[in-house]
Amino acid sequence: MERVNEASTLAAQRGFEAHVFSQPSIHKRCYREIRDRFCLSAQMAVRAIGKAVEAFQRDKSIRPVFRLHGAITYDARILCFKGPDRVSLWALPGGRMIIPMVYGEYQKQRLDRIRGQVDLVYRKGKFYLYATIDVAEPKAAEPVDFLGVDLGIVNIATDSDGERHCGSQVRSMRIRRRRFRRKLQKIGTWSAKRKLRVLSGVERRFATWVNHNVSKQIVAKAKRSDRGIAIEELTGIRRRVQAGRRQRAVLHSWAFLQLRKFLEYKALLMGVLLIRVDPRNSSRTCSRCGHAEKGNRKTQEEFSCRACGYRSHADTNAAMNLRERGRAAGKPAERSVVDGRLGHGFRRLSAAAASPHL
Ligand SMILES: [Zn+2]
């Protein structure tokens, strides 16, 4: 890994100096040097140059210097999985080596679907292989109805059946950690910085775990009841929610976006139609009579229609509006407009996205 990254840095330097950024032109200038200097095999050298080329594709104005333990890419010529518990890959010294490995139940069932390249990643003293797999994408069933799902702050997700997935657990932890983090940032010492990094990892993993569970439950419920899922179009969320600064910070954090992503890909894998609908006024419109007024929403939690007297939890009411909009938009003729994927085919997922919680 270290030699490959050094080789990539060298390749980038040679390309940068000569103002050439393509694989063949950099190859011509340093392939031989890389092979001799870093003792890499032909294919490893090609891969190392490839990493520099990729960096240039992002930005040609800077000369990249690669971290010694940055991820490196293997392809089928230099890595292959040998049975259930070992992998053969090219490494120094000596070339091909058989390395024992472990993986989870989920990965085990998908070993035969690994496609293309595999990334070798070094994290906290352990090596990981990140593989891409092909996943069959079942044809989405014709929904008989829609499950409206309102994504929010207090309740991470509320569906139109009235079920609430409470975010309090996640939220309180996040606020607590944010406070702690600020303190650490002020201290600013090396060890405080290290604590900071560890902390963000813990927090992220916890939120990911919650999101996997919540999204899995919602998609399973829709599947069981032959329903599609209607969530709000993303652009509307910031407009709609009036939240305090702290809440907004929570809302806009990536955990919120992650839940959407999880819902989307799990729906796809389960053959559940997911559509995004216009969220405008969904929180202040009465789901029974359609009357829209700001005063309908008395508090964060309470919805009470000033026209017909209908009362409900505010998030549930919003979710029911999304459901209605889903039903209106989900008519087969208009489906292409609302981004419902019905096609049968294959979709690529990274191993990180297709996690064991599925
Ligand atoms: Zn009403």
Side-chain angles (χ1 to χ4, degrees):
M1 178 177 265
E2 291 174 354
R3 293 302 85 73
V4 169
N5 278 310
E6 283 169 355
S8 296
T9 297
L10 181 84
Q13 189 189 340
R14 291 284 182 271
F16 193 79
E17 285 163 0
H19 292 282
V20 295
F21 306 104
S22 72
Q23 182 92 29
S25 50
I26 297 178
H27 185 106
K28 211 159 43 182
R29 282 171 173 82
C30 60
Y31 171 77
R32 196 66 253 172
E33 182 183 359
I34 282 176
R35 291 212 49 187
D36 295 343
R37 197 157 142 191
F38 303 107
C39 301
L40 297 179
S41 77
Q43 191 58 17
M44 292 302 278
V46 168
R47 281 282 144 210
I49 295 167
K51 186 170 176 172
V53 171
E54 262 175 46
F56 285 138
Q57 278 164 1
R58 288 189 294 271
D59 187 356
K60 291 183 178 60
S61 68
I62 48 167
R63 178 172 74 82
V65 174
F66 299 99
R67 287 182 301 117
L68 270 186
H69 295 152
I72 62 171
T73 303
Y74 280 89
D75 60 31
R77 266 175 281 187
I78 39 185
L79 180 145
C80 67
F81 292 97
K82 297 264 183 206
D85 57 356
R86 62 199 61 194
V87 59
S88 159
L89 53 76
W90 201 96
L92 287 166
R96 273 197 177 273
M97 291 172 73
I98 304 276
I99 316 273
M101 64 165 189
V102 289
Y103 44 79
E105 240 348 272
Y106 178 89
Q107 283 78 5
K108 191 173 179 177
Q109 289 162 21
R110 284 153 186 81
L111 266 191
D112 57 329
R113 304 207 202 134
I114 292 172
R115 295 291 176 271
Q117 299 169 358
V118 175
D119 283 344
L120 178 68
V121 176
Y122 184 69
R123 248 174 67 194
K124 294 180 183 166
K126 284 181 184 154
F127 283 105
Y128 297 86
L129 290 169
Y130 286 8
T132 299
I133 55 170
D134 275 344
V135 178
E137 195 182 294
K139 194 178 182 322
E142 280 295 311
V144 297
D145 195 351
F146 278 86
L147 183 66
V149 180
D150 180 71
L151 303 174
I153 323 158
V154 179
N155 301 298
I156 328 181
T158 304
D159 67 34
S160 51
D161 294 350
E163 188 177 347
R164 285 195 294 278
H165 301 274
C166 188
S168 65
Q169 212 186 356
V170 188
R171 207 160 40 105
S172 67
M173 166 157 158
R174 216 172 279 158
I175 288 165
R176 221 171 38 239
R177 289 197 179 274
R178 188 163 294 126
R179 245 180 243 141
F180 185 47
R181 204 152 50 208
R182 279 211 194 101
K183 229 184 270 171
L184 289 177
Q185 269 159 357
K186 271 187 198 140
I187 300 168
T189 60
W190 185 81
S191 81
K193 272 183 191 147
R194 201 181 53 159
K195 277 209 183 76
L196 212 64
R197 270 205 305 276
V198 173
L199 200 66
S200 67
V202 171
E203 185 187 26
R204 231 172 28 237
R205 279 192 297 278
F206 181 70
T208 300
W209 178 80
V210 171
N211 280 344
H212 268 302
N213 280 288
V214 169
S215 54
K216 184 172 150 187
Q217 281 169 35
I218 291 169
V219 173
K221 184 185 202 175
K223 175 92 181 165
R224 269 201 313 276
S225 50
D226 297 321
R227 283 182 287 184
I229 292 174
I231 59 173
E232 52 202 313
E233 196 75 62
L234 191 59
T235 48
I237 288 160
R238 283 167 205 192
R239 214 185 315 135
R240 183 169 65 85
V241 175
Q242 308 258 313
R245 268 185 63 207
R246 175 187 292 162
Q247 285 182 322
R248 218 172 353 225
V250 174
L251 175 72
H252 290 172
S253 70
W254 66 266
F256 184 81
L257 297 171
Q258 188 192 46
L259 178 59
R260 288 177 62 92
K261 291 233 177 71
F262 285 2
L263 272 174
E264 287 168 354
Y265 94 77
K266 286 190 208 290
L268 205 61
L269 288 183
M270 299 277 286
V272 170
L273 180 68
L274 181 141
I275 63 174
R276 300 168 196 85
V277 298
D278 185 353
R280 245 172 302 167
N281 292 329
S282 66
S283 63
R284 59 175 68 158
T285 301
C286 174
S287 61
R288 189 203 268 167
C289 75
H291 175 67
E293 185 184 333
K294 200 174 176 185
N296 281 350
R297 184 163 190 173
K298 289 187 146 173
T299 62
Q300 172 66 33
E301 295 217 327
E302 215 186 331
F303 185 91
S304 171
C305 179
R306 308 214 13 194
C308 77
Y310 173 73
R311 293 165 69 93
S312 160
H313 190 287
D315 291 343
T316 306
N317 179 68
M320 286 167 81
N321 284 327
L322 296 176
R323 171 192 170 217
E324 278 309 316
R325 288 168 200 193
R327 284 154 64 113
K331 289 185 200 115
E334 295 167 39
R335 205 156 275 165
S336 58
V337 183
V338 291
D339 191 39
R341 288 186 59 124
L342 287 169
H344 178 80
F346 285 91
R347 145 162 295 217
R348 293 218 153 148
L349 284 172
S350 80
S355 98
H357 298 287
L358 182 77

